[in-house]
Amino acid sequence: MVDAKSVISISPDAKVAIISAMLKHPDDLSTLTALRQKLIREKAIVDQQLKIGVQNQMEETKEALDILGTTKEQVLGVRSNMKNIDSLCKDAQGLITDYSRIRKISQTHQNFVAAQTLVNNFKELHQDLDTITAKMREDKRNIFGPAHNLLMNHYQLFKLEELRNTTLHQARDEPLDVKVTLKQYFGRLDKVVEEFEEYLWELSRNMVELIKQKQGSVIVRVIKIIEAEESADAKAVITTTKAERRVSRQGFGGKKAEKPPRTVKSLRSKFFDVLHDEVSRKFAVLLERVDQEPLECLEATDFVFSDLALVYDDLEPRSPSNYKIFPFYVLEYHRHVYELANKIVISPDLDGGLILHLLRWVREYYANIYRQLGVPEELLEPKLLDGNEQGLLDDYLKLVRNSLTEWTNNMMNTATKEFTDRENPPEQDKDRLYNMQTAALLFEMVNQQLSIAADSQQAKIMEQVVGECIQVMKDYQSKWKALITTEKRRQIDMTGAPPEGLAEYIMAATNDQIKCAEFTDSMMKRIRSENMIRNAKSLENVEEKLKVTMEDFFDVATHGANALLDLAFNDIREPISKLHTSSWYDEDPMGLIVATFKDYNDDFKAHLNDYMFSKLVDWMLERLMIAQIDALRNRGTKLKYPVCKDRLQKDRALVYNFFDEYKPANDLEQDFDAIEQLHEFTCSAKRSAYLNFYQMKRVYHDLPISLVEDILGKRDDLDRASIREIMDPIKEKFKDKDPNDTNRSPTIFSKVKQ
């Protein structure tokens, strides 16, 4: 901001510019006139509305004052008329001779008539009570009968109670002995009234049964009696209220208002108490038995829906609307059902099956009460299980998990002891296949859990239970894998003098894994055929998980088969090490290898699952081929040309004839092609070596160049120059990479030492 001193010191042009800038205003100020006119118009409209509102208010106030003035005149007129009437009454008394005497005689006559009526009522009291008692007991003989005398009995008792109440009220200022005598006289009436009310409550307790017995008229009579008593109670309350107000207006200080003759009975409140007690009685039996028979008690609550349907159809139309009899019954039954369900939840014997049954039952309860009675779940308080269905489901899944884990651990502990001790050979089935029996036990437990979970009829629960079962299966698979690996290593390393029979037990475990895969497939088919999971997405998820689990069982079986091969190849380490060495020419190590394999395969074929045996034979052949290939480059290998050609051919013939017993000829020839071509190259003449290599390389794209060079180096007839002469074109060929090789499947040469 520019101060005064600085303005004085600057040039005139600059001063003009500063003043111009200070006087400059924003563009919005150009609309100030239009905005001011708009506000003036709006103010005029508001002023006009306020003026009209004030005028209307003034007119209404004036009209009200006029009405008050007229009312005051009318009140003064009424007061004047009342004074005239009072004056005329006093004048009339003076005109009648002996008016006071006539009035006294009239009053005496009225008192005499009243006294005579009272005496007659006293004389007839016991007779009336006898009649009422007789009729009442006649009705009580059949509690589900028509109760024709109910209303008449009540009417007569009501009149007698009025007599008693009036008499005792009139005698309130009499001596004590008079009041005691009167109470004794009416004592029998009190007993009959008490008996009648008990009969009334007995009928009320049997409301639902009376509906079933087609005695709706009895219900109507009961409610009419209650309504009559309620009306009399209301009058008594009004009388008391008026008396209290009168005392208060007259300013008598601590003086209490005079009590009315009638004592308030509150039969309507008692009526609902009786209905509550009757519902409690119905559930009391179930609540006593629920700890011993929870499932039976849940199923026994079917009466709730039928009873409520009767209340809705027959009792509700016969009751006053302000009774809200149907909502009352619904909530009473529901609260007792809630209590029953909670007692089951806190039961120490709550198991997985009971939890699932309870969850399904709760869902069906809400569905039935809505479908049959139109009562939505939101109106039912408190919520069954306190709305903790997910918590219960978590508890159930925990029970399933713990039970399966405990059973599996116990089973595996027993199986592990048998597997490691090997005191007796494993058991055989009817086909002479070894087995450990763990597969049958495992899936017996799993299927039991599936059957229990299926009772819930909830896809979510079934999916989660299957998930728990799959987890247990995975643990089972891991334990078998680890056990087979540990025992195999112990056998190969000869640690601690392991007992005999490991191959037999590995076969038994492998067979069990195949059975587990078959059981898993059957489990998947059962879930679909029995429609255990109705939700398509959940079913798809479960089947996908079970397929993966089934593949995992095959993986464990494969692990077992490879362990068997490890044992077999461990026994032929020495003859394998002699292949293509100097001793190979004098001895027959391949014959020893084949003989050893034959001993093993005789057992495998007899006691191993057919599918796994066929796979084992394939893997045995492949591993033997790899061993033969690797033996060509061992440190002690010495290929004596041309003698080695006959020895290699003899070895191939031994192996071929051995595997010919187990594999089809076409498959076997295809499997032997690699070793034949490699042997052909190994024994090639110098001028035909490249051609043999080329033919082999064209089929076996992953043939390692190091293997080719190592084999040529083992030839005793080739010097370094000859090897270089053969290898140079081969190396050139290796430089020409075929781009299609990356898309081709690996061959046996990808598994040999590189």
Side-chain angles (χ1 to χ4, degrees):
M1 184 175 180
V2 180
D3 57 18
K5 293 181 179 180
S6 61
V7 170
I8 294 173
S9 62
I10 60 179
S11 65
D13 293 338
K15 293 178 183 179
V16 172
I18 291 171
I19 295 172
S20 176
M22 293 176 64
L23 293 177
K24 187 178 181 180
H25 60 78
D27 294 339
D28 292 345
L29 293 179
S30 62
T31 62
L32 183 61
T33 303
L35 181 63
R36 183 171 178 274
Q37 291 176 354
K38 178 182 177 183
L39 292 175
I40 290 173
R41 287 195 300 271
E42 291 179 352
K43 180 178 179 298
I45 293 171
V46 172
D47 290 344
Q48 183 66 24
Q49 290 174 344
L50 288 173
K51 183 178 180 181
I52 294 172
V54 170
Q55 185 177 354
N56 291 339
Q57 188 67 33
M58 291 295 292
E59 290 177 356
E60 291 175 357
T61 304
K62 182 180 178 183
E63 184 179 352
L65 290 172
D66 292 341
I67 293 172
L68 285 174
T70 305
T71 304
K72 183 178 180 181
E73 293 176 359
Q74 292 174 350
V75 170
L76 293 174
V78 171
R79 181 181 295 178
S80 176
N81 291 334
M82 293 299 294
K83 287 181 178 180
N84 291 334
I85 292 171
D86 185 60
S87 176
L88 290 173
C89 286
K90 290 179 180 179
D91 294 343
Q93 291 177 12
L95 295 174
I96 300 173
T97 308
D98 298 329
Y99 174 77
S100 58
R101 184 180 179 188
I102 292 171
R103 184 177 179 183
K104 186 175 182 180
I105 292 172
S106 175
Q107 186 64 45
T108 303
H109 178 72
Q110 290 178 6
N111 292 340
F112 176 78
V113 172
Q116 187 179 20
T117 302
L118 182 61
V119 170
N120 291 336
N121 288 336
F122 275 5
K123 289 180 180 180
E124 296 173 359
L125 176 64
H126 290 286
Q127 183 180 350
D128 291 343
L129 290 177
D130 289 339
T131 303
I132 293 170
T133 303
K135 291 180 179 180
M136 181 170 56
R137 290 177 180 171
E138 179 185 347
D139 289 344
K140 288 173 68 176
R141 289 192 188 98
N142 182 10
I143 196 65
F144 304 120
H148 293 303
N149 302 308
L150 188 62
L151 284 180
M152 181 56 68
N153 287 342
H154 174 259
Y155 175 77
Q156 292 177 341
L157 285 174
F158 188 82
K159 291 299 180 183
L160 293 176
E161 284 187 287
E162 283 185 334
L163 171 65
R164 177 198 61 192
N165 295 338
T166 304
T167 303
L168 294 177
H169 185 71
Q170 291 173 350
R172 63 188 180 280
D173 296 327
E174 298 297 326
L176 181 60
D177 59 335
V178 174
K179 290 190 282 188
V180 171
T181 301
L182 287 173
K183 287 184 179 180
Q184 290 176 348
Y185 188 80
F186 286 109
R188 187 184 172 201
L189 173 61
D190 294 337
K191 293 180 179 178
V192 175
V193 170
E194 183 179 348
E195 183 179 355
F196 179 80
E197 287 187 2
E198 182 55 40
Y199 175 50
L200 190 70
W201 301 141
E202 184 67 19
L203 293 173
S204 301
R205 276 190 288 271
N206 290 281
M207 282 279 187
V208 175
E209 193 60 35
L210 285 169
I211 295 173
K212 294 179 182 178
Q213 299 295 330
K214 308 298 181 183
Q215 296 295 344
S217 60
V218 178
I219 296 172
V220 174
R221 294 187 190 105
V222 169
I223 293 177
K224 280 185 175 295
I225 291 171
I226 294 172
E227 285 295 284
E229 294 289 346
E230 285 290 300
S231 178
D233 285 349
K235 291 178 182 178
V237 171
I238 291 172
T239 302
T240 303
T241 304
K242 287 182 178 179
E244 289 174 350
R245 288 176 181 173
R246 184 167 59 252
V247 170
S248 176
R249 284 198 304 270
Q250 293 175 355
F252 288 122
K255 184 177 178 180
K256 293 184 178 179
E258 188 178 300
K259 291 184 178 180
R262 176 183 173 86
T263 301
V264 176
K265 292 185 176 182
S266 301
L267 288 194
R268 177 175 168 179
S269 176
K270 293 178 181 177
F271 171 70
F272 282 105
D273 289 342
V274 167
L275 296 184
H276 167 79
D277 293 342
E278 177 59 18
V279 175
S280 298
R281 185 194 63 80
K282 286 185 176 182
F283 279 88
V285 179
L286 298 179
L287 290 171
E288 288 177 2
R289 293 169 42 211
V290 71
D291 290 335
Q292 291 77 31
E293 301 174 336
L295 294 179
E296 291 77 0
C297 288
L298 284 177
E299 299 304 324
T301 56
D302 286 344
F303 71 86
V304 169
F305 307 108
S306 58
D307 283 5
L308 290 178
L310 288 172
V311 170
Y312 183 80
D313 294 336
D314 296 290
L315 185 54
E316 176 82 0
R318 291 178 169 86
S319 306
S321 58
N322 61 339
Y323 275 40
K324 301 184 186 306
I325 198 76
F326 179 66
F328 171 81
Y329 264 102
V330 168
L331 290 179
E332 282 297 321
Y333 274 99
H334 176 74
R335 286 164 185 164
H336 284 82
V337 168
Y338 167 84
E339 184 180 355
L340 182 69
N342 274 9
K343 195 166 183 182
I344 293 175
V345 170
I346 63 176
S347 171
D349 299 327
L350 186 66
D351 58 16
L354 185 53
I355 289 176
L356 282 186
H357 190 92
L358 182 60
L359 289 172
R360 187 192 69 181
W361 182 88
V362 167
R363 193 179 73 257
E364 290 176 350
Y365 168 83
Y366 281 125
N368 287 334
I369 206 167
Y370 179 74
R371 184 176 62 253
Q372 298 180 27
L373 304 168
V375 180
E377 180 180 344
E378 294 76 19
L379 297 181
L380 297 172
E381 293 291 343
K383 298 295 182 186
L384 294 185
L385 309 177
D386 294 318
N388 191 33
E389 287 86 349
Q390 185 58 47
L392 267 183
L393 178 57
D394 293 341
D395 290 343
Y396 165 70
L397 294 174
K398 183 178 179 181
L399 282 173
V400 171
R401 188 182 310 119
N402 292 341
S403 298
L404 286 173
T405 301
E406 181 181 357
W407 293 339
T408 306
N409 287 342
N410 292 338
M411 177 183 70
M412 284 303 299
N413 288 339
T414 303
T416 300
K417 189 175 187 319
E418 293 178 4
F419 195 89
T420 54
D421 293 348
R422 301 192 285 278
E423 296 176 353
N424 300 303
E427 295 186 7
Q428 301 181 25
D429 61 15
K430 58 183 179 59
D431 297 323
R432 296 184 60 223
L433 300 183
Y434 289 135
N435 65 80
M436 294 294 297
Q437 297 187 337
T438 56
L441 291 174
L442 174 65
F443 278 86
E444 182 180 348
M445 294 183 291
V446 167
N447 281 309
Q448 181 182 353
Q449 294 300 327
L450 285 184
S451 299
I452 294 172
D455 288 340
S456 70
Q457 298 179 0
Q458 294 190 45
K460 179 182 177 183
I461 293 178
M462 276 297 301
E463 185 175 0
Q464 290 177 315
V465 169
V466 171
E468 294 295 338
C469 293
I470 288 174
Q471 186 57 52
V472 169
M473 293 180 200
K474 288 185 179 297
D475 293 342
Y476 171 85
Q477 293 164 355
S478 299
K479 288 177 181 178
W480 270 118
K481 258 189 174 181
L483 182 59
I484 291 172
T485 301
T486 301
E487 286 300 302
K488 179 199 74 174
R489 179 51 52 197
R490 181 183 169 201
Q491 178 80 15
I492 291 175
D493 296 343
M494 295 300 290
T495 306
E500 297 180 355
L502 179 59
E504 288 79 356
Y505 270 87
I506 292 179
M507 280 191 277
T510 302
N511 289 337
D512 262 23
Q513 300 304 311
I514 296 298
K515 284 184 179 179
C516 286
E518 294 171 352
F519 286 147
T520 305
D521 185 55
S522 300
M523 174 179 162
M524 194 159 46
K525 291 177 180 176
R526 180 192 174 197
I527 291 172
R528 181 174 285 277
S529 64
E530 296 183 14
N531 202 19
M532 289 183 173
I533 301 178
R534 293 180 173 85
N535 182 278
K537 183 64 176 176
S538 297
L539 179 61
E540 182 181 349
N541 291 339
V542 165
E543 288 184 339
E544 185 63 31
K545 292 176 182 177
L546 287 175
K547 287 177 182 177
V548 173
T549 305
M550 188 162 56
E551 291 299 324
D552 290 342
F553 279 120
F554 281 115
D555 287 344
V556 181
T558 300
H559 183 75
N562 282 317
L564 292 173
L565 290 178
D566 289 341
L567 295 178
F569 275 85
N570 182 63
D571 286 351
I572 60 168
R573 280 185 300 177
E574 184 177 351
I576 284 286
S577 66
K578 292 181 178 180
L579 289 177
H580 315 139
T581 63
S582 298
S583 59
W584 175 54
Y585 295 94
D586 301 324
E587 301 175 10
D588 187 13
M590 185 58 73
L592 184 57
I593 292 171
V594 168
T596 303
F597 279 172
K598 181 169 177 54
D599 290 340
Y600 271 103
N601 274 11
D602 287 344
D603 285 340
F604 295 160
K605 186 174 183 179
H607 303 296
L608 190 63
N609 173 273
D610 289 342
Y611 170 79
M612 286 311 301
F613 176 70
S614 65
K615 301 296 289 184
L616 181 142
V617 168
D618 291 340
W619 298 328
M620 178 183 284
L621 174 58
E622 182 182 72
R623 287 177 67 164
L624 182 57
M625 294 290 184
I626 293 171
Q628 286 182 275
I629 294 171
D630 288 336
L632 286 170
R633 59 203 306 192
N634 285 343
R635 180 175 298 178
T637 298
K638 193 170 186 179
L639 297 175
K640 299 178 181 179
Y641 186 81
V643 180
C644 63
K645 185 174 183 178
D646 294 334
R647 292 292 298 153
L648 290 173
Q649 186 176 2
K650 181 181 177 183
D651 284 354
R652 287 201 312 275
L654 278 173
V655 174
Y656 186 93
N657 291 334
F658 169 70
F659 282 100
D660 188 44
E661 297 181 21
Y662 311 111
K663 290 177 66 69
N666 292 337
D667 293 345
L668 195 57
E669 289 176 1
Q670 185 176 352
D671 293 335
F672 264 75
D673 182 70
I675 196 73
E676 285 181 356
Q677 290 204 42
L678 184 63
H679 285 174
E680 185 70 23
F681 170 78
T682 300
C683 301
S684 299
K686 186 168 66 171
R687 62 178 177 273
S688 61
Y690 177 78
L691 180 61
N692 289 335
F693 161 77
Y694 179 78
Q695 291 176 345
M696 183 168 53
K697 178 64 176 175
R698 189 174 56 181
V699 179
Y700 302 99
H701 63 94
D702 49 1
L703 174 68
I705 190 171
S706 59
L707 174 64
V708 175
E709 194 166 8
D710 287 345
I711 290 174
L712 293 177
K714 301 297 182 182
R715 289 267 297 265
D716 64 346
D717 61 323
L718 298 176
D719 55 18
R720 290 186 178 180
S722 299
I723 295 174
R724 188 181 307 110
E725 183 181 349
I726 297 172
M727 285 301 301
D728 285 345
I730 290 176
K731 288 180 179 179
E732 288 298 323
K733 179 62 180 174
F734 265 96
K735 290 180 182 178
D736 299 332
K737 296 288 185 181
D738 189 342
N740 294 325
D741 287 349
T742 56
N743 299 324
R744 294 169 68 182
S745 301
T747 71
I748 192 172
F749 288 105
S750 64
K751 300 178 182 181
V752 301
K753 294 177 183 178
Q754 298 297 318

